[in-house]
């Protein structure tokens, strides 16, 4: 559609946008519109060349995950709608860099996949064409099929001390409808078949083959379709049979329905073998494949499908490493008209890999590059090295432009397929053979400056995949060929001692804080939660608002010398993917969640890893916010709980529970310490009948006193805490004591156990749990004393929030106000002190 681009007065906002970008898109389509780059530069008061230079540097810095470098360029893009303004460094996960934001229809930034995500804007430049372009796309499910819809937002672009505004409006046309398509497979009449056979070598890259063939004339006659109609309506008439790939009992198989839900680019589908999901399952002749969402269980894709009135066109390619040599994989598309279907059967044949045997060739030269480095625990670190091209060219008698590298396919042959890593590179096994990212191979070799620079290469690691010791060596051979001769470049990587981290000797914890989030495991990598930290307090104790976030590299090791520096998640805030044992990890389903922090605002952003965590999973991990200039650290404890539905709890009451580690509290028969408590106080405040007592739920509140993590086993005394009172996994190394509530005892009671340690007289612990009913929480604050600590309680400030409670010496609450008047003779505890009533 046409673009209206009108420039108003530069530099000063007058209530109207300086540039207007209007686009009308087909339902589910993406459009690109543009304005003149020179006009935008003029509005900023700079030359087009200067703007293009700064813009390109900004983008490259961000893509290289160098947040500091990206922040150094004075460019900020904000979103403004009726609800406010959103700076780009607070937006979290977006659809990519280049100013890409997923938003709701009213323009509020949101994560892709989160309920309400509707459309996105991405910007880029083409300096040669004098173009600043905006690519605008949408989630078709967010717009009504029959009526379409509209979305609009204003972008505030700040640069060179000025602000230029862009009013962006998207109009989505209604989805065209072809009436009468039969989607019940049992009622469909297949009137013919046309077969397409494509042969490819096994491929570990994403390259594809383009197919263009005429459609059978009988397709049109038997379906009663005109060619022009099919050209206009192919995406509305192209269906696949629906398959349920769930492995739950009784659900795996064809559903009996047809759909045209595209799962690959454009009009296209990913296909996976229906015979199973493992390599053994699909190692059969002619496995039929069915449409499925993109995943590592796919085998091939067919995309870019179109009919131009003369030829049927599509691209077909493999999921790296999922197709076997000498095997056929096929899938069927159906062109529909009413209850008639014409089958387009597409078969992908995988040839044997072309082989270059080098055993009979003559080696005429060699050079060796020695590299020493650490085993990477995370990220994708690279070691740059250079190759002497002069020696290679002279020895082989070829021009440097003819030099091309080959890597090993196996012991005797060279790999002849496409690239398996970025920048025309290859993933490599530890044995030095070509591999793939999907297989978790630990190394890669690539051209960091692009393939045009054959002198400069990089050996990199896929962090967390290499199991090796100091002194282990790994050799990667690069072959350059000239007829029957070859030149060998040996790249030898030796695992060295870990370099000591310096400059952290005086780092010190000056504050401790705790935050929590509820996450839902979903099909998308959603930014499912944001938490505002106590930014003013953090800045005050650290002395800066440009702090960094660090994570642990070893479970429980709080030595700053081992901390992991932040990498980049999917969006601007830098942070970490966390492994399930609480250390810096990588994106994959072996890890638990992602977290990042925007230092300028103190916003924590949380990401869930789809299907990696079951409802009820909980994580309690340690991070540090650090001012590297003075060494001040804020220690963060982040609590994550995976739930099926997010809940917001209102704390309506609290009560203190004291347990002393002496014989008065000890049940020798059960081996537990206990405090009798019938929950009457909680029942009263929560307005529950005694008969409903077991219908309440338990949440762990930890040291914050704020209920965060629901626990299903509090009545089995399996909820574990560490010495700081934080809830931890039952098998955690720092687990000290367990708490629970025993409904089944003759007299209901809280129960405490020490499964791994022997209680001592000088112990003291504080933690909390909450009894919850219908969204309201009643908090129990637990104070656990060794006998010596308890004896000296007059010198202990138990807690500021116990002043409304009176306890007997068994820790039972006897009154909910701070007076002892009228109580029977004895010793009581109130306000942290013993009081004698005579």
């Amino acid at each position: 559609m046409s673009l209206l681009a009108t420039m108003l007065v530069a530099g000063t906002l007058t209530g109207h946008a300086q540039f207007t970008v209007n686009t009308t898109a087909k339902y589910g389509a993406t459009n690109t519109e543009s304005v003149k780059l020179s006009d935008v530069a003029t509005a900023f008061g700079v030359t087009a060349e200067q703007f293009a230079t700064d813009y390109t540097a900004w983008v490259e810095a961000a893509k290289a995950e160098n947040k500091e470098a990206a922040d150094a360029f004075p460019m900020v893009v904000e979103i403004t709608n009726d609800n406010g303004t959103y700076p780009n460094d607070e937006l979290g996960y977006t659809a990519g860099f280049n100013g890409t934001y997923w938003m709701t229809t009213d323009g509020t930034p949101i994560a892709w996949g989160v309920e309400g995500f509707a459309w996105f804007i991405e910007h880029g430049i083409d300096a040669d064409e004098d173009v600043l372009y905006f690519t605008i796309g949408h989630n078709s499910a967010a717009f009504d099929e029959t009526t379409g819809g509209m979305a609009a937002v204003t972008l505030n672009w700040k640069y060179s001390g000025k602000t230029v505004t862009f009013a962006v409006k998207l109009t989505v046309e209604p989805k065209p409808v072809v009436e009468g398509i039969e989607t019940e497979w049992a009622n469909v009449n297949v009137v013919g078949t046309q077969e397409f056979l494509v042969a490819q070598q096994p491929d570990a890259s994403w390259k594809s083959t383009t197919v263009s063939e005429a459609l059978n004339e009988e397709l049109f006659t038997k379906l009663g379709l005109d060619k022009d109609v099919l050209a206009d309506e192919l995406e509305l008439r192209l269906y696949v049979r629906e398959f349920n790939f769930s492995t739950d009992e009784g659900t795996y198989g064809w559903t009996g329905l047809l759909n045209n839900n595209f799962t690959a680019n454009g009009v296209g589908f990913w296909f996976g073998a229906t015979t199973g999901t493992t390599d053994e399952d699909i190692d059969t002749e002619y496995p039929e494949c069915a449409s499925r969402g993109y995943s590592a269980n796919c085998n091939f894709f067919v995309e870019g499908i179109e009919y131009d009135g003369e030829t049927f066109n599509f691209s077909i390619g493999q999921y790296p490493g999922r197709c076997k040599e000498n095997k056929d994989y096929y899938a069927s598309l159906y062109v529909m008209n009413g209850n008639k279907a014409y089958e387009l059967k597409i078969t992908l044949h995988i040839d044997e890999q072309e082989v270059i045997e080098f055993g009979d060739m003559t080696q005429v030269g060699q050079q060796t590059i020695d590299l020493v480095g650490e085993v990477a625990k995370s990220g994708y670190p690279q070691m740059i090295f250079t190759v002497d091209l002069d020696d290679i060219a002279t020895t082989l008698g070829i021009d440097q432009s003819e030099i091309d590298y080959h890597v090993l396919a196996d012991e005797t042959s060279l790999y002849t397929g496409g690239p398996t890593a970025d920048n025309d590179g290859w993933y490599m096994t530890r044995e030095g053979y070509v591999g793939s990212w999907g297989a978790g191979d630990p190394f890669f070799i690539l051209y960091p400056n692009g393939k045009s620079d054959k002198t400069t290469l990089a050996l990199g690691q896929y962090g967390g995949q290499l199991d090796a010791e100091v002194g282990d060596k790994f050799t990667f051979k690069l072959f350059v060929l000239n007829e029957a001769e070859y030149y060998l470049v040996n790249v030898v990587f030796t695992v060295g001692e870990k370099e000591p981290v310096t400059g952290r000797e005086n780092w010190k914890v000056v504050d401790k804080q705790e935050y929590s989030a509820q996450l839902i495991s979903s099909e998308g990598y959603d930014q499912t939660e944001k938490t505002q930290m106590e930014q003013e307090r953090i800045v005050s104790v650290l002395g800066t608002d440009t702090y960094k976030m660090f994570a642990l590299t070893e479970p429980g090791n709080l030595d700053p010398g081992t901390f992991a520096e932040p990498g980049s998640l999917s969006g601007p805030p830098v942070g970490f993917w966390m492994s399930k044992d609480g250390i810096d990890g990588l994106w994959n389903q072996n890890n638990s969640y992602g977290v990042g922090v925007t230092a300028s605002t103190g916003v924590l952003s949380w990401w869930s890893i789809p299907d990696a965590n079951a409802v009820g999973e909980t994580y309690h991990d340690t991070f540090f916010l650090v001012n590297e200039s003075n060494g001040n650290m804020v220690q963060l404890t982040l609590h994550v709980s995976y739930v099926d539905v997010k809940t917001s709890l209102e704390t309506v009451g609290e009560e203190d529970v004291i347990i002393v580690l002496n014989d008065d509290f000890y049940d020798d028969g059960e081996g537990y310490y206990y405090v009798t408590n019938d929950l009457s106080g909680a029942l009263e405040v929560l307005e529950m009948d005694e008969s409903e007592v077991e219908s309440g739920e338990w949440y762990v509140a930890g040291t914050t006193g704020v209920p965060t993590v629901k626990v299903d086993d509090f009545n089995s005394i399996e909820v574990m805490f560490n010495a700081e009172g934080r809830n931890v996994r039952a098998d955690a190394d720092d687990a000290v004591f367990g708490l629970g509530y025993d409904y089944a005892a003759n007299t209901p009671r809280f129960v405490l156990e020490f499964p791994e340690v022997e209680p001592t007289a000088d112990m003291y612990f504080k933690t909390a749990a909450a009894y919850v009913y219908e969204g309201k929480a009643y908090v129990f604050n637990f104070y656990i004393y060794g006998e010596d600590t308890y004896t000296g309680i007059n010198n202990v400030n138990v807690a500021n929030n116990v002043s409304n409670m009176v306890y007997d010496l068994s820790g039972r609450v006897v009154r909910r106000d701070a007076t002892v008047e009228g109580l029977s003779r004895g010793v009581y505890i109130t306000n942290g002190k013993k009081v004698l009533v005579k």
Side-chain angles (χ1 to χ4, degrees):
M1 299 297 293
S2 63
L3 167 72
L4 173 62
T6 304
M7 192 180 99
L8 303 179
V9 178
T12 303
L13 297 182
T14 62
H16 300 282
Q18 291 154 282
F19 294 89
T20 302
V21 180
N22 291 338
T23 191
T24 300
K26 289 184 177 180
Y27 187 83
T30 298
N31 284 5
T32 298
E33 307 287 4
S34 62
V35 298
K36 281 189 175 183
L37 180 66
S38 55
D39 286 349
V40 176
T42 299
F44 281 123
V46 298
T47 65
E49 291 76 15
Q50 183 62 51
F51 180 81
T53 298
D54 282 355
Y55 179 93
T56 302
W58 177 48
V59 170
E60 290 305 316
K63 286 184 175 179
E65 301 181 355
N66 186 340
K67 187 175 189 296
E68 289 75 14
D71 288 345
F73 294 98
M75 288 191 177
V76 176
V77 180
E78 299 176 336
I79 287 176
T80 296
N81 61 18
D82 292 340
N83 300 320
T85 297
Y86 305 87
N88 66 343
D89 64 349
E90 296 180 16
L91 296 179
Y93 177 78
T94 59
F97 189 66
N98 287 32
T100 307
Y101 312 110
W102 276 103
M103 296 166 288
T104 60
T105 53
D106 67 1
T108 301
I110 195 171
W112 174 86
V114 176
E115 183 178 357
F117 81 109
W119 65 304
F120 69 82
I121 303 171
E122 179 176 9
H123 56 73
I125 65 170
D126 185 336
D128 292 337
E129 297 295 326
D130 191 25
V131 163
L132 169 64
Y133 64 81
F134 294 87
T135 299
I136 304 167
H138 64 278
N139 167 29
S140 56
F143 295 87
D144 190 277
E145 291 187 8
T146 59
T147 62
M150 188 271 288
V153 76
T154 298
L155 296 185
N156 304 323
W157 199 324
K158 298 181 178 180
Y159 167 65
S160 73
K162 297 181 180 179
T163 300
V164 172
T165 57
F166 300 82
V168 185
K169 179 180 178 181
L170 166 69
T171 301
V172 180
E173 294 180 334
K175 182 178 181 180
V177 176
V178 174
E179 301 290 347
I181 298 293
E182 176 59 64
T183 58
E184 293 281 350
W185 177 248
N187 300 328
V188 171
N189 177 24
V190 180
V191 296
T193 299
Q194 181 171 349
E195 297 194 18
F196 300 84
L197 176 63
V198 180
Q200 293 180 348
Q201 291 195 339
D203 189 49
S205 68
W206 306 95
K207 67 181 182 182
S208 61
T209 301
T210 300
V211 177
S212 297
E213 292 188 27
L215 291 176
N216 291 342
E217 289 295 328
E218 72 169 9
L219 180 152
F220 302 99
T221 58
K222 289 189 174 182
L223 290 182
L225 275 180
D226 183 85
K227 291 184 177 181
D228 290 338
V229 171
L230 184 59
D232 291 338
E233 299 180 352
L234 178 67
E235 65 182 279
L236 305 176
R237 294 181 176 274
L238 198 64
Y239 281 70
V240 291
R241 291 180 65 192
E242 190 175 271
F243 194 91
N244 187 342
F245 282 95
S246 171
T247 55
D248 294 341
E249 185 176 357
T251 62
Y252 191 89
W254 299 101
T255 67
L257 298 175
L258 288 163
N259 71 57
N260 69 338
N261 300 325
F262 304 124
T263 58
N265 293 328
V267 178
F269 305 89
W270 278 99
F271 292 104
T274 58
T275 48
T277 58
T278 68
D279 289 342
E280 292 74 18
D281 290 334
I282 65 171
D283 194 19
T284 58
E285 295 292 337
Y286 306 106
E288 183 173 7
C289 297
S291 174
R292 68 181 306 160
Y294 167 80
S295 74
N297 291 324
C298 296
N299 295 96
F300 69 99
F301 61 84
V302 176
E303 64 184 18
I305 305 170
E306 63 176 17
Y307 178 66
D308 60 11
E310 295 183 1
T311 57
F312 181 67
N313 309 294
F314 61 88
S315 296
I316 182 170
Q318 302 167 45
Y319 187 96
R322 284 289 295 170
C323 293
K324 306 293 185 180
E325 294 183 47
N326 296 316
K327 302 296 180 184
D328 286 344
Y329 302 86
Y330 77 87
S332 294
L333 314 178
Y334 296 91
V335 179
M336 303 295 300
N337 192 22
N339 70 337
K340 294 180 180 180
Y342 199 93
E343 180 184 21
L344 304 178
K345 182 179 178 181
I346 300 174
T347 300
L348 175 64
H349 175 76
I350 307 300
D351 294 327
E352 288 188 17
Q353 180 75 55
E354 291 181 9
V355 175
I356 298 178
E357 300 283 355
F358 62 88
D360 295 331
M361 301 177 71
T362 302
Q363 180 179 336
V364 296
Q366 175 175 305
Q367 56 184 284
T368 299
I369 289 92
D370 289 307
L371 303 173
V372 179
E374 302 171 15
V375 173
K377 294 185 177 181
S378 63
Y380 298 87
Q382 302 176 20
M383 303 178 72
I384 307 297
F385 62 91
T386 58
V387 179
D388 185 349
L389 297 189
D390 288 337
D391 190 53
I392 296 175
T394 301
T395 304
L396 287 176
I398 61 176
D399 188 81
Q400 289 191 14
S401 63
E402 300 176 78
I403 292 176
D404 201 7
Y405 299 112
H406 294 269
V407 295
L408 289 173
D410 52 40
E411 289 183 345
T412 62
S413 62
L414 304 180
Y415 175 66
T416 58
T420 65
D422 294 339
N423 292 45
D424 291 303
W426 311 272
Y427 269 93
M428 306 294 295
T429 68
R430 59 186 295 134
E431 294 78 21
Y433 305 135
V434 69
S436 69
W437 175 85
D441 290 318
F443 294 99
F444 57 85
I445 295 175
L446 52 74
Y447 305 92
N449 301 329
K451 196 173 182 180
S452 60
D453 181 1
K454 300 288 182 63
T455 300
T456 307
L457 287 87
L459 176 69
Q461 288 186 61
Y462 181 180
Q465 306 301 312
L466 180 62
D467 182 13
E469 302 292 335
V470 173
D472 288 350
K473 292 182 181 292
F474 302 89
T475 300
F476 307 94
K477 299 179 182 294
L478 301 176
F479 292 77
V480 182
L481 310 179
N482 184 22
E483 297 182 349
E485 297 179 337
Y486 69 86
Y487 188 106
L488 184 62
V489 179
N490 289 307
V491 183
V492 181
F493 173 74
T494 303
V495 178
E497 294 280 356
K498 182 177 178 63
E499 290 289 333
V501 178
T502 60
R504 301 184 181 180
E505 296 81 6
N506 298 319
W507 285 15
K508 56 188 177 298
V509 174
V510 295
D511 193 15
K512 294 183 179 181
Q513 298 184 26
E514 300 192 33
Y515 298 94
S516 62
Q518 299 173 342
L519 302 181
I520 298 176
S521 189
S522 64
E523 295 181 356
Y525 285 85
D526 309 341
Q527 181 188 323
T528 53
E529 192 72 26
K530 279 188 176 182
T531 302
Q532 177 62 58
M533 297 190 297
E534 296 180 59
Q535 179 71 347
E536 185 175 345
R537 171 178 160 187
I538 291 171
V539 171
S540 175
V541 297
L542 291 182
T544 182
D545 61 357
T546 58
Y547 50 80
K548 282 187 178 179
M549 185 180 191
F550 288 79
L552 304 184
T553 57
E554 300 173 12
N557 186 350
L558 305 186
D559 177 6
T562 66
F563 289 170
E565 296 198 32
S568 177
L569 292 171
S570 301
V574 293
F576 305 91
W577 291 111
M578 295 305 298
S579 70
K580 294 194 174 185
D581 57 0
I583 64 174
D584 173 36
L586 285 170
W587 164 80
N588 62 43
Q589 288 199 341
N590 294 320
N591 293 322
S592 53
Y593 66 96
V595 63
V597 64
T598 305
S600 61
T601 58
V603 173
L604 275 172
S605 302
W606 314 73
W607 285 261
S608 65
I609 298 179
D611 304 322
N613 302 276
V615 172
E617 290 274 12
T618 60
Y619 303 99
H620 313 275
D621 297 325
T622 303
F623 300 86
F624 294 87
L625 305 179
V626 182
N627 178 355
E628 292 184 283
S629 63
N630 63 18
N632 287 350
M633 299 192 296
V634 173
Q635 181 175 321
L636 299 182
T637 301
L638 303 188
H639 307 276
V640 174
S641 58
Y642 275 88
V643 298
D644 49 2
V645 178
K646 292 183 181 181
T647 58
S648 178
L649 300 179
E650 176 189 2
T651 299
V652 295
E654 60 182 312
E655 184 174 323
D656 299 299
V657 179
I658 293 178
I659 303 178
V660 184
L661 306 180
N662 62 20
D663 291 342
D664 291 338
F665 288 77
Y666 190 63
D667 186 334
D668 188 49
E670 298 289 341
Y672 302 135
Y673 297 90
Y674 72 94
V675 171
T676 300
N677 190 304
D678 59 8
L679 302 184
S680 58
L683 297 178
E684 179 182 349
V685 173
L686 295 172
E687 299 179 343
M688 298 174 63
D689 186 83
E690 190 172 338
S691 62
E692 300 176 296
V693 65
E694 294 194 38
S695 63
E697 299 174 326
W698 287 96
Y699 280 67
V700 172
T703 58
T704 63
V706 179
T708 56
V709 179
K710 180 182 175 183
V711 292
D712 296 323
D713 53 1
F714 199 68
N715 61 337
S716 61
I717 325 170
E718 295 178 357
V719 181
M720 301 301 296
F721 299 83
N722 66 10
E724 295 181 352
R726 289 193 290 107
N727 172 228
V728 295
R729 292 180 293 273
D731 59 351
D733 292 338
D734 60 343
V736 176
F737 62 93
L739 277 173
Y741 187 79
D742 188 358
Y743 291 104
N746 292 332
T747 304
R749 58 189 184 173
F750 286 109
V751 181
L752 166 72
E753 67 171 348
F754 291 86
E756 302 294 336
V757 300
E758 190 69 27
T760 62
D762 60 351
M763 282 182 167
Y764 170 71
F765 307 109
K766 176 182 181 294
T767 192
Y771 182 72
V772 176
Y773 182 72
E774 293 184 346
K776 296 181 179 180
Y778 189 91
V779 176
F780 291 92
N781 300 301
F782 293 91
Y783 300 92
I784 301 166
Y785 294 96
E787 191 160 23
D788 289 351
T789 309
Y790 181 68
T791 302
I793 197 170
N794 285 316
N795 299 317
V796 177
N797 180 11
V798 179
N800 291 330
N801 59 359
V802 300
S803 59
N804 61 334
M805 300 294 181
V806 179
Y807 306 88
D808 64 16
L809 289 182
S810 294
R812 292 185 289 262
V813 177
V814 296
R815 182 166 288 177
R816 286 180 167 73
D817 56 54
T819 68
V820 294
E821 184 179 350
L823 291 176
S824 59
R825 289 190 304 170
V827 179
Y828 299 89
I829 298 172
T830 181
N831 292 328
K833 297 181 180 180
K834 290 180 182 177
V835 177
L836 176 63
V837 177
K838 298 181 179 180

